[in-house]
Amino acid sequence: MDEKLYSKMQWPEIEALVYSEHDRPKQILGQHLTPDGLLIAAFIGDAKAVTVKDTKSGQLYPMVQVDEGGYFAVLLPEKTEEISYTYIVDFGENNIAQMGDPYAFESMITPDDIKKFEAGIHYEIYNVLGAH
């Protein structure tokens, strides 16, 4: 693994994610700008290999499997802003799929809604969570 990519890995966070103990996966999954470039991370448990495809340019960036549980990452040093991308996932046995990244989208729940919900005073949370 590349030394710069290795230094960007948050090992306790990755372990919590792999063992389904992470309460805010968007903090480490998806794309994040760093001083060294754009870091893209994905957790796809059954994948054998994952490649990031820039939907604008068509350029492909193979990801490194950082954890055997299915955590993949790639550092794009030449990128200084977020990109539009999809994943090309190889599940083995000629099973290849192209999929979007669910962490590429902004949350529909506002910080104010989260604050009220965590305080136990959001009396109409059902309108926010879609249970109406």
Side-chain angles (χ1 to χ4, degrees):
M1 179 184 320
D2 179 84
E3 190 175 315
K4 280 189 180 179
L5 177 60
Y6 184 85
S7 70
K8 298 292 176 204
M9 297 298 98
Q10 302 169 16
W11 298 109
E13 302 276 334
I14 293 169
E15 186 175 328
L17 183 72
V18 169
Y19 290 107
S20 302
E21 296 171 348
H22 203 292
D23 60 348
R24 298 190 194 269
K26 190 169 174 85
Q27 290 178 345
I28 62 170
L29 295 176
Q31 58 183 327
H32 302 279
L33 287 171
T34 72
D36 295 319
L38 182 65
L39 176 67
I40 301 176
F43 179 67
I44 306 172
D46 296 335
K48 304 294 181 214
V50 180
T51 302
V52 172
K53 179 181 179 183
D54 185 331
T55 55
K56 213 175 211 180
S57 70
Q59 192 164 359
L60 301 175
Y61 304 98
M63 299 182 87
V64 175
Q65 187 169 11
V66 176
D67 186 276
E68 292 176 357
Y71 187 85
F72 293 83
V74 64
L75 181 63
L76 311 177
E78 71 277 6
K79 300 292 183 184
T80 57
E81 60 184 35
E82 293 185 347
I83 62 172
S84 176
Y85 64 95
T86 59
Y87 293 128
I88 299 173
V89 184
D90 182 355
F91 291 103
E93 299 179 11
N94 269 346
N95 184 6
I96 297 175
Q98 187 165 335
M99 60 182 65
D101 182 0
Y103 295 98
F105 303 98
E106 290 298 319
S107 176
M108 300 293 290
I109 304 171
T110 67
D112 187 50
D113 286 327
I114 292 170
K115 185 177 177 181
K116 285 181 182 178
F117 178 70
E118 289 175 343
I121 58 170
H122 201 309
Y123 302 115
E124 295 182 356
I125 192 68
Y126 54 87
N127 287 322
V128 176
L129 299 178
H132 56 288

